[in-house]
Amino acid sequence: MVSNRLSIIVPFCLLTVALQNAGAEEFMAVDPDRISPEQLQFFESKIRPVLVRECYGCHSDQSGQNKGGLRLDSQRVTLLGGDSGAAVVPGDPESSLLYTAITHEDFVMPPKRKLSDAEIADFRKWILDGAPDPRVTEAIVMPQSAITIEDIDRAKQTFWAFQPPTRTTPPVTSAWAASDSTENESAAAVIDRYVDAKRHDAGLQPAPDADAATLLRRLCFDLVGLPPTPEQVRWFESAFQVDSQTAVERVVDRLLDSQAFGEHWGRHWLDVARYAESTGREVNMTYPQAWRYRDYVIDAFNADKPYNEFVQEQIAGDLLPVKSDQQWAKNLIATGFLAIGTKNLNEQSAAQFAADLADEQIDATTRVFLGMSVACARCHDHKFDPIRQNDYYALAGIFRSTKTLYGNPPSEFGNPVSAQQRQRSSLLLLPVEDDAKIGKSYSVEELQSMKEQLQEYRRQVVDLRSGGTVAGRPGASVQQMRLRLNNQIAELSAKISVLDDQGQPRSYCMGVQDHSAVGDAPLLVRGEIDQPADRIKRDLPLVFRDQPLEIADGASGRLELARWIGSDQNPLTARVMVNRLWHHVFGQGIVTTTEDFGVTGIAPSHPELLDHLTLEFIDSGWSVKTMVRSMMTSRTYRMQSRFDEASHQADPDNRLLWRANVKRLGAESIRDAMLSIAGELDSERPIGSMVAEAGFVRVQGATLEDPREALRRRYQTVVTSRRDDVERLMRQLRNGSPRDRSIARNRLRDMRNNPRPLSYEEDSSEDKSLDQTRSNLRSVYLPVVRDFVPRSLEVFDFADPSLISGTREASNTPNQALFMMNNPVALRLSRAFAERLGRQASSSKEQIQLAFVLAYGREPTADERRASYEYLRHADGETEDRFAGFCQAIFAAAEFRYLN
């Protein structure tokens, strides 16, 4: 059956998630106005007297004390909790610190004695019933907005970003942009006329057309992030002489159809999507399923998925109708966009964590798709744009009604977490299993052994709580032993939870779903969670809409939001995307602030052209490839980057495009080009990722390996690589004098802690480092763990994965030169480059020529040929070392890193 499966699949997946995430659901407290007489009687007779007698002395406003940051004298502060988290989580006693304290599980309250079993049972019943509580404090006054309806209407009528795009006809101002016919004019020619008109008005002359070699290198790097091959260089130079426009169009079409296009342009999107494979922040836990979103993005760009569909799937893919399980799985993976941001898992307050999570999602959604920062209105009205604090909380209600799944599913033993990880979450079980198992597999015997070990750890925790002892580190306190056991339980449970009964990994993904209980969010005065005012109806910010968002009963509003954002009735989404495409093609956007189309952003240099491109984008079916093709086949794209003093004085930032912008290659392109030129590039897409193999673990350094296993392996490396030294020291340790034994012991300790680093010649199949110096995969497939980005990317201004990065920095630093001189990646690939030259060319002259064609896409000049030959003749060292040094110099040159 291939009809609409939404009504079948959604309940199934919601049920799956509910079963997997039992205990982690966000329950809603009973509204004080809706407390039944029976609930009121129960609270006043069973709950309030115990709180007054046992708790208010240390945790109330009347006593003047709030030990541990906790007060328990009103409903609001009880739900808010203290330094350790929420005191009461309605519906969930085990997550309520008040309950676990009176049962003496986590804390011992009251101190030195325990409540009666009947009183404990009363508190459990009260919490399970939704914690109905009539103790409501005085209402918080709503702040008055300084932004009036008139201000918003004025902005909608006058500010360029809020205006619908309009069609215009560009004039023909010079022969440079003239074409034979304006009726059947190509999209590229129209672009040229818009650019030439602006330039003509400013009295500027365009730079000449670039030569074939420069243009081909520019096309290849801009489209696929890789250098042209010698065969491509020869073909293009020949075809360019016959018909330059046809030659360019053929290259563009060929590269648009290659797998490498999606890998290169997908990485552009991952920059703004703040893609990473870990949470970041203080407790940096991995995202083992993040790679699925990465692959979804790459596939979407290669398939030229209509951009409006691409947008809607990432915001509400779980709510869109589908015709197959395969499409349903892709849609679920797409919603990873909302789950992949940074998380402060060490946040003690569940309410604060939920508010911060929604804020991060609002910021990402509005800046990435709309080019506006609505998140600036969290604490007060936006300082510059016509966005009120009410508008922020209208969106917050949508995202607070959304459940974000990013962590690890519960095992049969629950969902225990380490002491440092105070917030937890599950994952989405995909309706389609992976063809190849992703993650670590175990035998049935190994799986059973892990379960038995976990049960043993739990037994030891019970023994400690009852005053018993367990084996552990000498001198460790009971609290330290409990922490160690809880961490071991959490580690084993995380491994077991993702396995089936045969020990094979199940197929999960990160993503979002609607909460079972949806509703409007209260406006938080000054953004503080303990200052909730009136609830704000879920909707779009007023400046974005003419009519209210119509949200279906029982729905979060996320589907309606996604459909509006991905609509041609919205003037921002298409504008923001075509500007982003222009930025990557030409080196700077028509609006240079690519994620800020607001008042503080830079106004467009060519507003009529931006409108034209926006309408063309929508008319093309939201086709990214169509837009990229029209830009790259324009004459504007083909200009030289030659400097002209007079033009520079008139337009120093080249906003009117009187020449091509010189562009520094991105970090991935530099590394991938080195791999390609050295003949080492592995162009196959890996299955999964290094992080997926490691599982759900805490990142504690530049490796995902267990510290104990890493220590054992490092010691084994020392033993095998320095066997003679180790054997001598071991004899000295057994037979030497006390002084000799002490020296031997210290030497062995030093060798264990500081093993000889891997050189580029050594086998690194056991290398677990996040730096991945031996990997030959394309850079888009390297692990992106927050705070531990591979050095080969970080040093060349890789986008910070914790931020929305539409425009990367392009620095020129000593560290980059040092990388080319000393880094294992540069050393290894320089030697591989030299070996390739030796295999493919027989004489020094031919090798020098091949080196320049491979690295720069052109033949060497006479001076370059002579200098290279002199170096190879007279440099010190063996022939192989001289050629490796020569290749290293080729890589280190500025021409290698820049596009002219």
Side-chain angles (χ1 to χ4, degrees):
M1 182 175 64
V2 294
S3 60
N4 188 316
R5 300 170 57 93
L6 187 61
S7 59
I8 299 173
I9 296 175
V10 167
F12 167 77
C13 285
L14 288 175
L15 175 62
T16 302
V17 172
L19 293 173
Q20 292 176 339
N21 207 28
E25 178 76 33
E26 181 179 314
F27 291 83
M28 305 293 287
V30 175
D31 191 315
D33 295 333
R34 299 181 181 178
I35 297 177
S36 68
E38 293 79 11
Q39 291 173 325
L40 180 61
Q41 172 63 26
F42 186 85
F43 180 85
E44 296 295 353
S45 62
K46 301 291 187 180
I47 304 302
R48 190 196 290 266
V50 178
L51 291 173
V52 172
R53 184 183 76 237
E54 303 291 352
C55 305
Y56 279 17
C58 296
H59 303 285
S60 70
D61 188 48
Q62 183 178 0
S63 69
Q65 296 193 64
N66 59 339
K67 292 184 177 180
L70 175 65
R71 283 175 49 202
L72 294 170
D73 52 350
S74 76
Q75 181 199 44
R76 179 171 55 82
V77 295
T78 300
L79 295 175
L80 181 63
D83 295 342
S84 298
V88 170
V89 178
D92 189 358
E94 280 68 31
S95 296
S96 302
L97 292 180
L98 175 62
Y99 181 77
T100 59
I102 64 177
T103 56
H104 291 193
E105 292 180 19
D106 291 320
F107 300 94
V108 178
M109 293 292 164
K112 300 181 180 179
R113 69 184 187 83
K114 195 174 183 179
L115 297 181
S116 68
D117 290 345
E119 289 172 325
I120 291 173
D122 287 340
F123 272 87
R124 180 176 181 83
K125 179 178 184 299
W126 175 63
I127 294 171
L128 285 172
D129 197 28
D133 189 342
R135 300 172 302 159
V136 180
T137 55
E138 188 174 321
I140 295 171
V141 178
M142 280 282 289
Q144 293 298 311
S145 175
I147 300 174
T148 66
I149 300 297
E150 291 74 20
D151 293 333
I152 294 173
D153 288 340
R154 190 180 309 112
K156 292 167 71 172
Q157 294 167 11
T158 60
F159 189 65
W160 68 269
F162 303 134
Q163 304 298 306
T166 56
R167 295 188 185 276
T168 55
T169 301
V172 178
T173 51
S174 73
W176 186 89
S179 59
D180 294 337
S181 170
T182 57
E183 294 183 2
N184 298 312
E185 197 170 31
S186 69
V190 176
I191 290 174
D192 290 333
R193 285 205 284 140
Y194 275 109
V195 172
D196 193 49
K198 276 284 185 180
R199 200 167 44 216
H200 180 269
D201 291 345
L204 299 174
Q205 294 298 315
D209 291 351
D211 59 78
T214 299
L215 183 57
L216 179 63
R217 191 168 188 266
R218 189 187 297 171
L219 285 166
C220 289
F221 274 110
D222 282 344
L223 280 167
V224 297
L226 293 170
T229 65
E231 295 76 20
Q232 289 173 322
V233 171
R234 286 193 294 269
W235 177 88
F236 187 74
E237 287 182 340
S238 175
F240 194 78
Q241 292 177 0
V242 176
D243 186 335
S244 60
Q245 183 64 26
T246 300
V248 169
E249 290 174 357
R250 287 190 61 183
V251 168
V252 170
D253 290 339
R254 229 173 10 226
L255 295 178
L256 284 172
D257 287 339
S258 72
Q259 168 72 17
F261 172 80
E263 292 169 335
H264 182 62
W265 281 78
R267 182 58 252 186
H268 290 327
W269 181 261
L270 296 177
D271 279 6
V272 295
R274 76 264 187 256
Y275 170 78
E277 296 179 80
S278 73
T279 62
R281 309 290 290 271
E282 290 83 356
V283 180
N284 195 1
M285 299 297 294
T286 55
Y287 289 149
Q289 306 301 328
W291 65 272
R292 296 185 188 276
Y293 176 75
R294 174 201 69 196
D295 288 1
Y296 160 82
V297 169
I298 292 171
D299 290 342
F301 275 90
N302 274 328
D304 200 18
K305 180 187 288 288
Y307 182 69
N308 59 334
E309 294 179 15
F310 184 62
V311 169
Q312 293 177 29
E313 288 172 2
Q314 292 178 81
I315 300 172
D318 58 309
L319 303 175
L320 293 170
V322 296
K323 295 183 178 180
S324 68
D325 285 344
Q326 288 74 19
Q327 183 58 51
W328 171 241
K330 291 178 182 178
N331 284 7
L332 290 177
I333 291 168
T335 65
F337 170 82
L338 292 175
I340 215 161
T342 58
K343 311 277 189 303
N344 183 12
L345 300 184
N346 199 33
E347 173 58 58
Q348 296 172 339
S349 168
Q352 185 67 57
F353 182 82
D356 291 345
L357 177 58
D359 181 72
E360 199 276 339
Q361 292 170 334
I362 290 170
D363 188 47
T365 300
T366 56
R367 287 179 60 198
V368 171
F369 299 119
L370 303 176
M372 305 287 288
S373 180
V374 175
C376 290
R378 178 180 184 177
C379 305
H380 47 69
D381 290 344
H382 200 293
K383 294 293 186 183
F384 305 102
D385 295 326
I387 298 171
R388 305 164 301 170
Q389 192 178 12
N390 291 40
D391 293 326
Y392 173 89
Y393 287 97
L395 282 178
I398 294 174
F399 290 101
R400 288 297 299 272
S401 298
T402 299
K403 179 164 51 182
T404 306
L405 299 147
Y406 58 84
N408 209 62
S411 69
E412 61 192 82
F413 304 99
N415 195 359
V417 293
S418 65
Q420 297 83 8
Q421 183 189 344
R422 299 177 185 274
Q423 305 299 327
R424 70 187 78 185
S425 174
S426 185
L427 291 170
L428 289 166
L429 185 64
L430 289 172
V432 178
E433 284 285 328
D434 293 311
D435 293 333
K437 297 299 180 182
I438 313 298
K440 190 170 182 180
S441 299
Y442 297 86
S443 66
V444 175
E445 293 75 20
E446 289 172 327
L447 176 60
Q448 183 59 33
S449 176
M450 287 194 293
K451 292 180 179 181
E452 292 172 356
Q453 184 64 66
L454 189 150
Q455 289 171 328
E456 172 59 21
Y457 288 150
R458 295 177 75 183
R459 184 191 64 76
Q460 292 180 24
V461 170
V462 173
D463 288 345
L464 284 175
R465 284 177 177 167
S466 60
T469 60
V470 298
R473 180 167 57 84
S477 66
V478 172
Q479 184 178 9
Q480 288 173 327
M481 288 189 286
R482 282 184 60 186
L483 285 173
R484 176 178 59 83
L485 287 169
N486 285 335
N487 288 342
Q488 290 171 326
I489 289 170
E491 181 182 329
L492 281 175
S493 179
K495 291 179 179 178
I496 294 168
S497 66
V498 294
L499 303 174
D500 60 22
D501 293 339
Q502 302 303 309
Q504 301 303 303
R506 294 190 182 99
S507 299
Y508 289 96
C509 75
M510 303 169 68
V512 298
Q513 300 228 300
D514 274 5
H515 264 304
S516 55
V518 301
D520 300 330
L523 183 146
L524 302 180
V525 178
R526 296 184 301 278
E528 297 176 7
I529 58 174
D530 61 346
Q531 296 289 312
D534 295 348
R535 292 186 179 272
I536 306 299
K537 181 178 175 60
R538 283 166 288 154
D539 209 336
L540 296 167
L542 185 57
V543 74
F544 292 158
R545 62 177 169 85
D546 295 320
Q547 299 295 328
L549 202 63
E550 296 184 4
I551 300 175
D553 292 339
S556 65
R558 193 161 38 86
L559 178 60
E560 293 80 1
L561 174 65
R563 284 178 167 158
W564 177 82
I565 291 178
S567 164
D568 57 8
Q569 301 304 309
N570 163 22
L572 284 167
T573 303
R575 254 199 198 112
V576 169
M577 188 57 180
V578 295
N579 182 69
R580 195 173 284 138
L581 299 178
W582 187 274
H583 163 76
H584 290 301
V585 171
F586 292 100
Q588 65 176 346
I590 295 173
V591 178
T592 56
T593 50
T594 52
E595 276 65 59
D596 186 2
F597 276 41
V599 172
T600 58
I602 306 299
S605 57
H606 300 74
E608 297 84 3
L609 172 58
L610 183 59
D611 277 6
H612 166 76
L613 293 172
T614 300
L615 294 169
E616 287 294 301
F617 187 38
I618 295 170
D619 291 345
S620 72
W622 301 75
S623 168
V624 168
K625 287 188 176 182
T626 297
M627 297 310 298
V628 170
R629 187 183 192 279
S630 65
M631 294 175 191
M632 288 194 172
T633 55
S634 68
R635 191 172 183 188
T636 303
Y637 181 78
R638 288 164 52 184
M639 287 190 294
Q640 292 181 8
S641 60
R642 188 180 70 181
F643 181 79
D644 178 75
E645 180 64 32
S647 298
H648 177 74
Q649 290 294 327
D651 181 22
D653 295 327
N654 192 32
R655 296 209 65 201
L656 300 181
L657 290 172
W658 48 271
R659 65 166 180 159
N661 287 302
V662 177
K663 293 185 285 188
R664 218 283 309 281
L665 292 178
E668 300 92 332
S669 292
I670 291 173
R671 178 182 172 277
D672 291 350
M674 293 173 71
L675 285 166
S676 177
I677 292 164
E680 295 288 298
L681 181 64
D682 182 357
S683 59
E684 290 297 317
R685 180 157 86 182
I687 299 174
S689 78
M690 177 183 175
V691 176
E693 292 296 327
F696 186 65
V697 298
R698 185 177 180 183
V699 183
Q700 302 186 64
T703 178
L704 297 177
E705 194 172 11
D706 181 273
R708 292 162 294 184
E709 176 62 23
L711 186 63
R712 183 201 65 77
R713 190 172 57 80
R714 291 175 71 192
Y715 186 74
Q716 186 63 37
T717 300
V718 172
V719 170
T720 55
S721 62
R722 304 185 187 178
R723 188 177 303 277
D724 292 342
D725 288 344
V726 170
E727 289 177 352
R728 178 179 57 78
L729 290 170
M730 291 300 293
R731 287 195 300 271
Q732 185 174 325
L733 190 63
R734 289 192 298 268
N735 305 321
S737 66
R739 180 175 179 277
D740 290 341
R741 290 199 297 271
S742 177
I743 292 172
R745 191 178 299 112
N746 290 335
R747 286 290 311 281
L748 285 168
R749 186 182 296 114
D750 289 343
M751 293 171 69
R752 179 190 65 192
N753 294 331
N754 300 288
R756 178 165 51 93
L758 280 169
S759 73
Y760 49 77
E761 294 118 334
E762 292 177 301
D763 176 32
S764 63
S765 58
E766 295 295 318
D767 182 20
K768 307 293 183 181
S769 168
L770 289 170
D771 213 23
Q772 290 292 282
T773 58
R774 295 288 300 177
S775 174
N776 290 334
L777 294 171
R778 284 209 71 172
S779 299
V780 70
Y781 300 120
L782 292 183
V784 182
V785 172
R786 288 184 169 109
D787 301 327
F788 296 99
V789 171
R791 180 63 175 166
S792 57
L793 302 181
E794 184 268 338
V795 74
F796 291 109
D797 306 305
F798 184 77
D800 186 337
S802 297
L803 303 176
I804 297 166
S805 303
T807 304
R808 290 190 185 182
E809 296 292 331
S811 66
N812 186 10
T813 68
N815 281 338
Q816 294 168 1
L818 291 172
F819 174 89
M820 290 298 188
M821 290 174 61
N822 303 317
N823 190 274
V825 173
L827 297 176
R828 175 173 70 89
L829 295 181
S830 295
R831 187 166 293 271
F833 185 10
E835 291 171 355
R836 178 182 183 180
L837 296 179
R839 290 193 306 271
Q840 297 184 358
S842 56
S843 67
S844 295
K845 178 181 178 181
E846 293 174 346
Q847 290 167 346
I848 292 169
Q849 177 163 321
L850 179 59
F852 274 77
V853 172
L854 286 168
Y856 305 146
R858 64 170 179 84
E859 294 188 355
T861 64
D863 288 344
E864 290 168 337
R865 196 187 307 273
R866 183 167 51 253
S868 301
Y869 185 69
E870 288 299 314
Y871 170 81
L872 293 174
R873 280 190 60 192
H874 300 299
D876 295 333
E878 299 294 329
T879 302
E880 293 81 2
D881 295 332
R882 293 200 300 272
F883 266 97
F886 166 69
C887 292
Q888 191 174 358
I890 291 284
F891 283 148
E895 184 175 353
F896 177 72
R897 302 192 304 276
Y898 284 86
L899 289 179
N900 292 317

